[in-house]
Amino acid sequence: MPSRLSAQAIRELERRLGKEQVLHETEDLHTYGYDATPELKSLPDVVLFPRTAEEVAYVVEFANQNGLPLSPRGSGTGLSGGSIPAEGGVVAVMTRMNRILEIDEENLTATVEPGVITLDLASAVAARGLFYPPDPGSQKVSTIAGNVAENAGGLRGLKYGVTRDYVMALEAVLMDGSHLMTGGKAVKDVAGYSFRDLLVGSEGTLGIVTKVTVSLIPPPKAKKTMVAYFKDVATAGQAVSEIVAAKIIPATLEILDNTTINAIEDYVDIGLPREMQGLLLVEVDGHPAEVEEEAAEIHEVLQRVGADTIRIAQTDEEAEDLTAARRTALSALARVSPTTILEDSTVPRSELASTFNEIARLTKKYQLTVGTFGHAGDGNLHPTALTDERNTEEITRVHAFFSELYDHVLAVGGTVSGEHGIGMAKVGYLERQIGSGGVKVMRRIKNAFDPDGRLNPGKMFIPEDPGNGRA
Amino acid sequence: MRSEPRYTKRDAEQAIHKPGERLGNFLPEDAPSYEDILQCMRCGFCLPHCPTFAITNRERSSPRGRAQLAKAVAQGELELSEAVCYEGFFCLDCRACTTVCPAGVKVGPIMEHVRAQSRNEVHPLPPGWRQFREFLLEYMLPNHDRLEDSMLAARLYQRLGVQWMVRNSHLLELAPGTLGETAEKMDGMLPKLEPPLRNRVPELVKARGEKRGTVAYFIGCIMNLMYPEVSRATINTLAHQGFDVVIPKSAKCCGAPHLTEGDRETARQLGEHNVETFLRWDLDAIVTDCAGCGAALKEYEELLEGRMDERYLHEFRSRIRDVSEFLVGAGMRTEDLKPVDMTITYHDPCHLAHAQGIAKEPRQLIEAIPGLKLVEMFESNWCCGSGANWGLLHPEESEQVLDRKMANVVKTEADAVVTLNPGCHMQLAWGVRRSGLDQKAYHLMELVGRSLPEESVPPAS
């Protein structure tokens, strides 16, 4: 389907933004109609690359004048369809605004343009001896504003928090063309509503972020890595709860189930025990003395709850070896079948064991292959259905599986999305979690920012909400 | 213009493709594999590793974009259009994406199939390119003798000093358009030419010292014509290491240039010929010092599936070794090697590091040579911008990719940049010359050859 914009409109865009910043060929529209979410695709009419906040304001003006929906996009690595142009229109790709503007060592902040790649920011501050902790799985690819829009998490969430915890100030262009500045470098700020916190996790539905200031911390001086294997996954879940109950907050506390362990062995053959039902990867970091002490305590806890085998890395190389399984988990699962549906159901930590049991029960009930890994310390699991999008009957079962799993997740006080967002993929689930009253309030907030419903429509909630998730 | 909701979930029923059936808008012959296309989960992990995406920041020129274009064609949503074919040819086929892909998607081979699908009506090649291509692919490359004769003129041209005159009079710059640029670049890239090696070596070079086995040396077209001295060093090294070296006279081009250009049929004919030729010998290994040949030979199983008995194909495949892979695997005899005092940096050829997954062995081989000191460059496995014919079809972009590489080479302050593939070798030599650097470019085997105490095959007089 070619662009529905007139040749005259395209020429005007090219005149204002430069030819290189305007894409409208069919093939380009096809490649900006998806992100990393399986099954979803919807083509835009034009793709624009603004390079300044003023150009962003112009893009907003253009969308308004032409009555077009407008969806901001970073690198398109999202897992809920947040950047897909659900109703066509304009995709504003922010990746050409990618300068690191300032690293302020006195205030421990970094100020960057929205399209800076997460890892580039982390590396740049690391070169100055500082630390930006949020590390979503796609950090080599994802943009900082994409992380802000989705409030991205990562492996270090338990101890260091998620993107929200590091956003100090934001600048954004709103749909009325105004430039909003919210927050600042001051550590404390209680002046009025916190728009900053509203924009974080707003999935590009309230404004287009044009500048981000994040806070930085000094990096930990030492780290210790260990791995424990369990004969049943519920015991692994219990170990997680008990480590935290022992008043230790590890930097990393990751879990892999038996399906994942076997997928990794099939793929790379690194000598994992195939019969084990659970693998826990634990890393503690901080002051060297404290790290040694905590590692010893965790070792004790792991023994007490009945871990089958415990391995503690003595060198950096051994630590690398121990983390190999976790690093390979997604790759290994992704190779098993053509379609990989990765969810992010999240429960209070104490409910990990019950959730693993429920996943096992439902996997059997719906006759699926599901590998589960995730950030156990955060109660954030990634049950991953290994399927084939061509098999519609199986795909229906996959959706039924997740729908029933979310009944359990919500019943135990969890959330339908720990870190991927609602986007298009989970519009139906949101109401199940926060109720129709909650959705109504969110709609009113959305209306206050975007009365025409032009900014990233079809996300989070849609006017004619079908009410049952993806299908 | 308020648009209709365009969000429609694909009806997956439509997407079911039965083997042998026409795949969407692809032509029936040599369509890419639908399984391979569907394996892409669009995570985008490939994006920071793609040289063409780095240049353009345009999704369709990225591995994910290319896989999704192929998917749209396979699902009938998109025609096999000029832009799709263009992206097929604009892909460097460097395979860096495959190395980092969590799902193991091979976008390079998918794009090779798109090239095979490309027709002049849809995607016209530059003027004269198609004729040049047919001449080269179908007439010249399948025949070593023709190739060698044709190079005679080039050698004469160098010997007579015309090269110097042409260079200094900027005669080539006067030729119009891309062809002139291409010709000038080709002139700048040509090494000092020696007579081809193939007819200078016996079909069997005997092992020195205690014999450890028998190997065949697969003499690549470019190695034979452009770098015969490197090939000679490889044969000498294999003999010195205790292997009888067979150099079958009737071996032909590996077919890589044909796959690159989308001529899969000629590639298959060459492949069949080579499998038959080499399996006549009782060999421990078939060794090549050309990463491009090695990658193509290792993919014969896929290329010739259904055309030859799979046992032969498997036997052939199990013997193919890159020279570094073979030497390190066998264990280098280093007792009598002479020191080669030089600080070098190593450029990983894409078709070695990414297509064959060989990155450790070349470094171990460097370590085994006394005197050689390795300084790693940043992004050593980032493409140099040669990409077989890519550099000629996309001269401007090729320079951009090369600039990035040369900047990393310069930073190492090494005496030389070393690689294991003739295409990279030429490109790096050109990069060094173009930037007026003091550094030299070598094929690693040339330096290994210098460390040998004696030579089995003498140099050309």
Side-chain angles (χ1 to χ4, degrees):
Chain A
M1 201 182 323
S3 171
R4 292 175 297 177
L5 282 187
S6 69
Q8 193 196 347
I10 299 284
R11 270 200 306 278
E12 178 59 15
L13 283 168
E14 289 178 342
R15 194 181 66 77
R16 289 291 297 263
L17 299 172
K19 209 169 174 348
E20 300 275 293
Q21 326 306 332
V22 182
L23 299 178
H24 56 89
E25 285 178 32
T26 313
E27 291 77 8
D28 286 305
L29 304 183
H30 268 277
T31 49
Y32 288 95
Y34 55 74
D35 64 6
T37 318
E39 301 181 83
L40 299 180
K41 183 172 175 182
S42 174
L43 306 195
D45 293 290
V46 68
V47 182
L48 305 177
F49 293 83
R51 290 163 300 175
T52 61
E54 289 66 39
E55 288 186 351
V56 173
Y58 167 70
V59 169
V60 167
E61 185 192 320
F62 175 84
N64 280 327
Q65 280 176 358
N66 290 276
L68 289 169
L70 169 59
S71 298
R73 185 186 197 272
S75 295
T77 56
L79 285 162
S80 59
S83 64
I84 296 177
E87 296 179 11
V90 179
V91 164
V93 184
M94 308 304 288
T95 52
R96 295 183 191 173
M97 290 177 72
N98 62 350
R99 290 176 303 165
I100 295 175
L101 301 172
E102 180 197 61
I103 296 171
D104 180 344
E105 295 183 41
E106 282 181 39
N107 288 306
L108 293 185
T109 62
T111 300
V112 301
E113 290 188 326
V116 167
I117 304 298
T118 314
L119 186 65
D120 290 348
L121 166 62
S123 308
V125 305
R128 306 273 195 95
L130 291 165
F131 184 33
Y132 175 71
D135 60 342
S138 55
Q139 59 172 336
K140 279 188 190 167
V141 196
S142 65
T143 62
I144 194 72
N147 293 170
V148 169
E150 299 294 330
N151 188 15
L155 270 63
R156 301 194 182 108
L158 174 61
K159 181 168 181 177
Y160 292 103
V162 296
T163 304
R164 176 186 303 286
D165 302 307
Y166 294 86
V167 176
M168 295 199 78
L170 291 174
E171 287 186 27
V173 173
L174 304 184
M175 284 311 278
D176 61 4
S178 61
H179 295 260
L180 175 79
M181 295 205 275
T182 168
K185 288 184 184 177
V187 173
K188 293 176 176 176
D189 176 9
V190 294
Y193 292 137
S194 176
F195 288 130
R196 174 191 67 194
D197 284 299
L198 199 51
L199 286 176
V200 176
S202 66
E203 303 189 359
T205 62
L206 301 181
I208 300 182
V209 171
T210 54
K211 200 190 268 187
V212 182
T213 301
V214 296
S215 62
L216 308 170
I217 59 174
K221 290 195 169 67
K223 188 171 83 172
K224 194 106 196 166
T225 304
M226 60 190 98
V227 155
Y229 297 106
F230 295 85
K231 285 202 175 102
D232 71 289
V233 77
T235 313
Q238 192 197 338
V240 171
S241 298
E242 299 224 359
I243 288 168
V244 179
K247 303 188 176 48
I248 302 166
I249 306 292
T252 307
L253 191 41
E254 299 282 309
I255 195 162
L256 310 180
D257 75 350
N258 178 266
T259 307
T260 311
I261 290 171
N262 278 287
I264 293 167
E265 275 306 288
D266 289 343
Y267 170 37
V268 281
D269 194 10
I270 50 175
L272 302 179
R274 283 177 179 271
E275 69 286 1
M276 287 294 154
Q277 297 300 308
L279 179 163
L280 268 193
L281 169 71
V282 192
E283 285 186 318
V284 283
D285 67 7
H287 189 275
E290 191 186 324
V291 165
E292 286 302 322
E293 202 174 295
E294 288 186 346
E297 283 180 59
I298 290 173
H299 189 254
E300 218 179 281
V301 172
L302 290 170
Q303 275 181 325
R304 196 174 64 238
V305 298
D308 187 84
T309 318
I310 304 166
R311 288 180 58 202
I312 301 183
Q314 300 304 336
T315 62
D316 288 352
E317 291 75 41
E318 280 178 43
E320 273 290 294
D321 286 349
L322 291 185
T323 54
R326 174 61 184 88
R327 276 186 279 114
T328 320
L330 178 63
S331 306
L333 290 171
R335 278 160 209 260
V336 175
S337 64
T339 310
T340 308
I341 303 185
L342 174 83
E343 282 284 345
D344 65 331
S345 42
T346 305
V347 294
R349 206 175 297 123
S350 56
E351 294 293 341
L352 271 177
S354 77
T355 306
F356 268 107
N357 287 338
E358 184 66 0
I359 290 171
R361 186 182 74 83
L362 294 173
T363 302
K364 210 172 204 177
K365 176 176 171 184
Y366 290 103
Q367 295 170 303
L368 298 169
T369 308
V370 178
T372 302
F373 65 98
H375 321 305
D378 310 347
N380 183 182
L381 296 180
H382 293 306
T384 305
L386 311 178
T387 178
D388 186 333
E389 66 179 271
R390 291 167 293 181
N391 186 343
T392 42
E393 188 273 324
E394 184 172 276
I395 292 285
T396 310
R397 278 186 278 128
V398 169
H399 292 312
F401 166 89
F402 282 119
S403 183
E404 196 170 339
L405 176 61
Y406 281 116
D407 284 340
H408 167 84
V409 166
L410 291 174
V412 300
T415 171
V416 298
S417 182
E419 57 181 0
H420 296 169
I422 296 298
M424 294 163 78
K426 286 188 185 166
V427 276
Y429 289 124
L430 180 65
E431 192 165 326
R432 277 165 66 179
Q433 181 173 330
I434 66 169
S436 61
V439 172
K440 266 185 204 143
V441 176
M442 284 194 186
R443 282 215 180 101
R444 286 211 292 276
I445 294 170
K446 163 78 172 162
N447 284 341
F449 277 84
D450 176 26
D452 297 330
R454 204 181 298 298
L455 190 57
N456 213 9
K459 309 301 162 65
M460 225 174 307
F461 31 78
I462 43 176
E464 52 281 70
D465 192 340
N468 66 339
R470 284 166 196 269
Chain B
M1 181 173 87
R2 176 81 204 190
S3 37
E4 300 277 294
R6 297 177 123 197
Y7 161 40
T8 47
K9 230 172 66 56
R10 268 206 61 72
D11 182 2
E13 288 284 355
Q14 286 174 8
I16 291 181
H17 173 253
K18 294 172 199 72
E21 204 176 74
R22 189 170 167 161
L23 181 61
N25 289 333
F26 280 113
L27 302 170
E29 205 182 317
D30 281 328
S33 142
Y34 195 36
E35 291 296 318
D36 289 354
I37 293 171
L38 283 178
Q39 198 62 33
C40 171
M41 57 178 178
R42 307 192 295 212
C43 64
F45 284 15
C46 51
L47 299 178
H49 301 272
C50 176
T52 58
F53 183 67
I55 295 172
T56 59
N57 189 240
R58 189 178 189 177
E59 178 83 11
R60 69 178 225 193
S61 305
S62 76
R64 175 173 69 174
R66 291 185 173 111
Q68 294 307 308
L69 287 180
K71 185 174 175 181
V73 174
Q75 297 189 337
E77 295 172 358
L78 193 61
E79 294 299 319
L80 183 63
S81 62
E82 180 177 0
V84 173
C85 295
Y86 175 84
E87 288 306 336
F89 281 97
F90 188 44
C91 169
L92 263 159
D93 203 6
C94 72
R95 318 277 178 103
C97 51
T98 303
T99 299
V100 295
C101 177
V105 179
K106 292 180 175 169
V107 177
I110 295 173
M111 290 300 111
E112 283 179 0
H113 280 88
V114 168
R115 294 174 186 193
Q117 294 260 312
S118 175
R119 296 291 179 271
N120 217 24
E121 311 83 79
V122 180
H123 177 252
L125 291 166
W129 186 267
R130 195 161 288 268
Q131 288 82 349
F132 169 65
R133 173 176 184 252
E134 277 163 18
F135 170 73
L136 196 68
L137 296 180
E138 290 170 29
Y139 185 74
M140 296 298 287
L141 279 171
N143 188 316
H144 273 303
D145 290 330
R146 278 190 205 132
L147 269 178
E148 285 161 11
D149 289 348
S150 73
M151 289 302 284
L152 205 64
R155 284 207 311 283
L156 278 173
Y157 155 89
Q158 282 199 336
R159 286 281 148 90
L160 294 173
V162 185
Q163 195 175 23
W164 182 89
M165 218 172 74
V166 171
R167 286 227 185 90
N168 291 282
S169 66
H170 297 276
L171 198 63
L172 286 165
E173 281 174 18
L174 299 176
T178 315
L179 207 61
E181 253 171 62
T182 305
E184 179 169 13
K185 188 173 166 190
M186 282 178 90
D187 176 70
M189 287 174 84
L190 278 185
K192 185 172 171 294
L193 295 171
E194 300 288 342
L197 184 73
R198 198 175 58 102
N199 290 318
R200 286 198 275 139
V201 282
E203 207 162 23
L204 175 67
V205 175
K206 296 294 279 178
R208 290 182 173 261
E210 194 192 330
K211 185 179 158 181
R212 294 203 273 172
T214 304
V215 300
Y217 172 63
F218 184 90
I219 193 159
C221 306
I222 312 287
M223 294 304 298
N224 181 38
L225 297 175
M226 301 287 184
Y227 297 109
E229 286 307 288
V230 177
S231 300
R232 199 170 65 82
T234 301
I235 296 168
N236 284 335
T237 305
L238 290 167
H240 171 263
Q241 290 296 310
F243 296 93
D244 277 352
V245 187
V246 178
I247 305 115
K249 290 259 187 265
S250 58
K252 288 187 177 178
C253 171
C254 66
H258 307 80
L259 294 173
T260 301
E261 276 291 324
D263 178 4
R264 299 186 75 80
E265 185 47 36
T266 310
R268 282 189 282 254
Q269 289 166 12
L270 292 168
E272 283 176 316
H273 173 86
N274 284 330
V275 173
E276 278 165 10
T277 301
F278 282 91
L279 288 187
R280 269 184 227 129
W281 301 78
D282 186 18
L283 300 169
D284 296 305
I286 302 164
V287 179
T288 172
D289 50 10
C290 168
C293 295
L297 296 171
K298 285 181 179 180
E299 285 171 14
Y300 272 8
E301 271 179 303
E302 288 89 350
L303 180 70
L304 297 173
E305 193 188 344
R307 295 258 295 223
M308 288 186 98
D309 190 319
E310 61 184 54
R311 278 169 309 172
Y312 291 135
L313 290 176
H314 184 72
E315 197 183 328
F316 183 79
R317 165 66 188 90
S318 68
R319 281 171 176 61
I320 306 298
R321 296 284 182 280
D322 177 73
V323 64
S324 66
E325 181 186 17
F326 178 76
L327 291 172
V328 169
M332 278 288 279
R333 287 178 182 168
T334 55
E335 310 79 53
D336 58 350
L337 294 183
K338 297 183 292 188
V340 183
D341 290 316
M342 199 185 282
T343 303
I344 60 174
T345 190
Y346 175 68
H347 162 73
D348 287 278
C350 297
H351 281 86
L352 197 59
H354 301 303
Q356 301 181 55
I358 295 176
K360 272 203 319 274
E361 292 85 343
R363 291 169 169 83
Q364 288 167 335
L365 180 56
I366 290 169
E367 213 171 285
I369 306 304
L372 278 189
K373 186 170 168 284
L374 176 67
V375 190
E376 291 285 355
M377 72 171 97
F378 181 60
E379 296 180 335
S380 68
N381 66 3
W382 187 272
C383 183
C384 64
S386 165
N389 58 359
W390 193 88
L392 301 176
L393 273 175
H394 308 279
E396 213 173 289
E397 290 87 349
S398 175
E399 301 280 287
Q400 284 176 272
V401 181
L402 180 59
D403 284 342
R404 182 166 173 158
K405 175 58 64 181
M406 293 317 294
N408 287 325
V409 169
V410 169
K411 272 185 230 144
T412 64
E413 295 181 0
D415 303 327
V417 52
V418 170
T419 190
L420 270 167
N421 187 51
C424 306
H425 187 176
M426 257 193 276
Q427 176 86 343
L428 292 169
W430 161 243
V432 165
R433 183 187 298 177
R434 193 193 51 156
S435 316
L437 302 177
D438 296 333
Q439 284 157 320
K440 297 255 182 308
Y442 293 106
H443 189 291
L444 176 56
M445 290 314 293
E446 194 174 338
L447 300 185
V448 174
R450 285 190 197 174
S451 75
L452 302 178
E454 77 278 292
E455 298 189 319
S456 301
V457 183
S461 51

